[in-house]
Amino acid sequence: KITLTIDNIKTEVPKGYTILEAAKTVGVDIPTLCFLKDVNEIGACRVCLVEIEGARGLQASCVHPAAEGMVIKTNTKKIRDARKSTVELILSNHNRECLTCFRNKSCELQSLAEELNINDIPFQGEETAKTVDAQSHSIVRDASKCILCGRCINVCKSVQKIGVLDFTKRGYETEVAPAFEKSMDEAPCIYCGQCIVNCPVAALREKEDIERVWDAIEDSEVHVVVQTAPAVRAALGEEFGLPIGTRVTGKMVAALKRLGFDKVFDTNFAADLTIMEEGHELLHRIQDNGVLPMITSCSPGWVRFCEFNYPQFIPNLSSCKSPHQMMGAILKSYYAEKHNIDPEKIFVVSIMPCTSKKTEAARPEMEVAELRDVDAVLTTRELAKMIKQARINFMKLEDSEFDPALGDYTGAGVIFGATGGVMEAALRTVADVLEGQDLQNIEYTAVRGIEGIKEAEVTLGGNTIKIAVAHGTAMAAELLDMIEAGEKEYHFIEIMGCSGGCVTGGGQPHVPAKVKMDCDIRVERAKALYEEDTVKQYRKSHQNPLINKLYEEYLEKPNSHKAHKLLHTHYEA
Ligand code: HC1
Ligand code: SF4
């Protein structure tokens, strides 16, 4: 432990703490901009400057280690002036169309300018033509908004181990972009959107699709169905000022009904359906010497990562479409028939915590009889925008329920949104099938949580099933490398493209880096889902009465010919 004084407050902190961390312990809040805990700790922007008694010049507190006996000041005129000049310099070369900016009111640079009382930019920096790349289905890169903080570069490189983005060109022309002036679309980008959720400004954002959805709602000829992913309910409330981890299922459904969707269903229903299909696919692969380990394929970011970087594992991917795609296929077949609606007149909207889902929905494989499974994918942030556009007072909404036709879901479906959730849901079903009974012990805690790769061995009906769970593509790579090297062997693996699973997907509300210093949003949002699981009447997918009805009336049995046609696909190397 070391003792130091910050703004006249004495404190004791563990060795190895930076000044920024030490200040936090006594409630002294130093502003930052490029800093992103554990990811971008490079002291580049020099906003977090502090004065250390006896040291020459001001020091970047996010990288400077705290030392025994230090006397530190964080709020003197010299410091305030230096911080102000730094931010003025950044703003002088920034596209300052704040009023019409995507990140207006959620921009970390804007908040900082306000805090530092910057009312004027005393000089205009060099203006260079900057690229806007809107070529992909998922992500828009607008270099005129970029402040070169490097957060996205390091998230992509170190958290995801992909490295699509880097500094390119030089001097005033410097941009953060894929190499060789490629579009994101031509680079091996998996569209996980982790760069977006960690961008302090609007340099990276999702490709919006709100207008197309409004048009569909407006068209009285079109039957517009919306479905919500499990993780959306765990974060949407943040857009309306609720604490991180507040579950808003009922209000979310009420808002969707008010927006004018004809039917509001839950992707969780289809998550239950996925478990039926995937659970049986696993049993068949084990019984018939199929390709093992089988790896989940519901995270499109992970699927792209596999296609780009580990194509040798493509045969291991489950042939199941992801839940929201399955839902689309069921809506345009079973549901259309049952309710006598022309499937061509059904417009399916998926509200997802994920930016990669936009590209997934556009994949050529994701259609049946020339009808797209899903017609539009909106992120959680886009849904919040629609609610605000419609001037709905979210906080005053009475809870509402999903429409009954395809709205029922089990606790197993809900936990899909957190890392380990798909595995746990699958085990609940596979265990009952193999044991031939309704098992009471259904909480597989070994696959929960956010620490590294999770492994377990479960003995079911005399069979030992070896499983593993990885989240974030860096961890996925580590796991696949061990399997390739023959160091590990499994039957079933869950991989999600984002660290923490869907709850921290690239389409979720922005959380400022400052807040992320004290709170692990992966943990808080996941809690909201596990809570919902415990209050559901049914907690195993095969107990969902609507799922059983769907098989009885239409699909016959899991992995039937019809189920294959609608709910499965295949990926090619
Ligand atoms: Fe997910 Fe899924 S859990 S992929 O993380 O399998 O996006 O939430 O909707 O489709 O159910 C995302 C979340 C989501 C699908 C399901
Ligand atoms: Fe990297 Fe993901 Fe951003 Fe693509 S979307 S640049 S893979 S962080």
Side-chain angles (χ1 to χ4, degrees):
K1 288 250 177 190
I2 49 171
T3 309
L4 69 167
T5 309
I6 305 174
D7 291 346
N8 298 324
I9 313 169
K10 240 196 167 120
T11 181
E12 213 186 49
V13 296
K15 233 180 164 171
Y17 262 39
T18 61
I19 295 175
L20 180 70
E21 287 171 311
K24 275 238 158 236
T25 64
V26 285
V28 170
D29 186 14
I30 300 170
T32 56
L33 185 57
C34 69
F35 177 80
L36 187 61
K37 193 180 165 204
D38 300 331
V39 177
N40 206 44
E41 302 187 352
I42 55 173
C45 74
R46 302 192 58 79
V47 165
C48 65
L49 295 175
V50 295
E51 248 180 278
I52 304 171
E53 206 175 84
R56 236 197 283 149
L58 301 175
Q59 306 297 325
S61 62
C62 73
V63 286
H64 203 102
E68 180 61 38
M70 263 184 176
V71 177
I72 293 160
K73 290 263 182 305
T74 76
N75 181 29
T76 61
K77 179 169 166 40
K78 189 173 166 191
I79 295 170
R80 285 195 302 273
D81 287 350
R83 286 180 188 154
K84 205 165 171 178
S85 304
T86 303
V87 175
E88 280 170 353
L89 195 65
I90 295 171
L91 286 169
S92 73
N93 188 31
H94 182 71
N95 171 349
R96 297 191 299 277
E97 291 164 356
C98 300
L99 277 181
T100 49
C101 180
F102 234 74
R103 291 291 298 273
N104 190 19
K105 299 204 282 188
S106 75
C107 170
E108 293 180 45
L109 179 62
Q110 191 181 43
S111 318
L112 195 57
E114 191 201 12
E115 273 170 35
L116 296 172
N117 200 19
I118 297 176
N119 305 308
D120 197 14
I121 310 298
F123 39 86
Q124 178 61 45
E126 188 93 6
E127 286 220 10
T128 42
K130 296 273 175 78
T131 335
V132 176
D133 169 12
Q135 214 168 293
S136 79
H137 290 283
S138 290
I139 291 185
V140 177
R141 183 178 67 83
D142 179 352
S144 74
K145 298 277 168 76
C146 179
I147 57 169
L148 308 178
C149 69
R151 285 201 209 168
C152 58
I153 297 177
N154 275 325
V155 166
C156 191
K157 209 177 272 178
S158 61
V159 179
Q160 295 296 62
K161 282 261 167 25
I162 296 176
V164 166
L165 297 168
D166 214 334
F167 291 111
T168 61
K169 306 185 194 160
R170 284 166 184 228
Y172 272 115
E173 304 224 316
T174 306
E175 268 187 34
V176 171
F180 312 115
E181 297 188 34
K182 279 190 179 164
S183 157
M184 304 285 271
D185 209 21
E186 297 149 349
C189 172
I190 64 166
Y191 304 130
C192 63
Q194 288 307 304
C195 51
I196 299 180
V197 279
N198 288 300
C199 175
V201 290
L204 291 154
R205 58 179 159 90
E206 69 266 57
K207 177 78 130 330
E208 259 197 12
D209 220 0
I210 295 178
E211 284 312 312
R212 227 157 50 82
V213 174
W214 280 129
D215 288 349
I217 291 176
E218 195 99 345
D219 189 340
S220 57
E221 299 274 292
V222 179
H223 183 76
V224 192
V225 178
V226 67
Q227 57 170 321
T228 55
V232 176
R233 70 207 65 201
L236 179 64
E238 293 165 28
E239 290 278 351
F240 301 95
L242 287 167
I244 292 167
T246 312
R247 177 160 48 98
V248 292
T249 318
K251 284 194 195 310
M252 173 184 76
V253 176
L256 290 164
K257 290 186 175 169
R258 284 274 292 276
L259 288 175
F261 288 101
D262 293 304
K263 284 283 180 271
V264 182
F265 294 139
D266 200 341
T267 308
N268 290 355
F269 164 81
D272 282 333
L273 184 57
T274 304
I275 288 303
M276 297 301 285
E277 292 296 318
E278 198 162 288
H280 285 86
E281 183 185 353
L282 176 65
L283 290 172
H284 291 150
R285 286 194 191 214
I286 292 174
Q287 281 154 8
D288 306 337
N289 289 325
V291 180
L292 290 171
M294 185 176 89
I295 311 181
T296 58
S297 59
C298 50
S299 163
W302 145 242
V303 171
R304 278 178 78 80
F305 183 78
C306 179
E307 290 176 319
F308 286 137
N309 303 298
Y310 288 87
Q312 64 275 34
F313 281 96
I314 290 176
N316 298 72
L317 291 175
S318 158
S319 65
C320 288
K321 287 182 185 171
S322 75
H324 86 116
Q325 297 291 151
M326 285 199 183
M327 181 69 126
I330 290 294
L331 284 166
K332 294 187 182 186
S333 55
Y334 170 70
Y335 171 82
E337 270 178 41
K338 208 170 150 115
H339 298 271
N340 212 7
I341 307 169
D342 176 359
E344 301 219 6
K345 296 275 186 230
I346 297 180
F347 189 92
V348 178
V349 181
S350 301
I351 312 287
M352 297 280 131
C354 173
T355 35
S356 205
K357 290 272 172 202
K358 288 176 184 270
T359 300
E360 178 190 45
R363 287 181 74 117
E365 299 94 338
M366 299 300 163
E367 65 174 33
V368 181
E370 291 185 18
L371 279 180
R372 303 304 305 164
D373 294 338
V374 170
D375 299 286
V377 174
L378 303 183
T379 60
T380 309
R381 293 188 294 268
E382 286 172 276
L383 171 60
K385 277 194 183 178
M386 285 183 81
I387 296 171
K388 288 173 191 169
Q389 257 185 296
R391 301 191 62 79
I392 293 169
N393 188 338
F394 189 78
M395 294 308 295
K396 290 229 163 108
L397 288 171
E398 294 274 342
D399 282 359
S400 183
E401 295 203 345
F402 289 102
D403 283 304
L406 296 173
D408 219 355
Y409 58 94
T410 69
V414 188
I415 58 174
F416 256 61
T419 165
V422 182
M423 177 61 72
E424 182 165 345
L427 290 177
R428 289 181 190 179
T429 287
V430 171
D432 276 15
V433 172
L434 288 177
E435 296 277 343
Q437 52 172 315
D438 181 11
L439 294 168
Q440 296 307 305
N441 204 351
I442 61 164
E443 298 200 347
Y444 293 86
T445 46
V447 294
R448 295 187 184 183
I450 50 151
E451 299 310 325
I453 294 167
K454 293 166 275 184
E455 301 174 286
E457 279 190 19
V458 238
T459 308
L460 305 169
N463 305 280
T464 301
I465 300 184
K466 290 189 195 168
I467 56 170
V469 173
H471 52 117
T473 43
M475 215 186 274
E478 192 190 330
L479 181 63
L480 297 179
D481 288 344
M482 288 192 293
I483 296 170
E484 282 224 289
E487 293 162 17
K488 296 277 178 184
E489 228 182 42
Y490 304 100
H491 296 95
F492 187 29
I493 297 174
E494 175 201 301
I495 298 182
M496 287 289 174
C498 297
S499 175
C502 294
V503 284
T504 10
Q508 293 285 62
H510 286 282
V511 177
K514 206 175 182 174
V515 176
K516 286 186 193 155
M517 251 187 105
D518 303 317
C519 157
D520 195 325
I521 56 175
R522 298 172 299 180
V523 175
E524 297 307 316
R525 289 176 180 162
K527 261 192 231 157
L529 298 184
Y530 285 109
E531 269 163 31
E532 185 157 317
D533 169 36
T534 58
V535 299
K536 293 302 288 180
Q537 184 189 358
Y538 299 113
R539 296 178 66 192
K540 300 172 181 173
S541 300
H542 58 282
Q543 291 173 338
N544 183 334
L546 277 183
I547 292 282
N548 290 324
K549 196 159 141 204
L550 172 64
Y551 279 107
E552 266 164 41
E553 292 182 356
Y554 199 70
L555 295 172
E556 295 159 27
K557 59 179 183 18
N559 296 356
S560 69
H561 182 67
K562 207 165 195 174
H564 260 280
K565 200 170 133 236
L566 292 170
L567 312 177
H568 292 248
T569 183
H570 72 279
Y571 300 101
E572 273 168 29

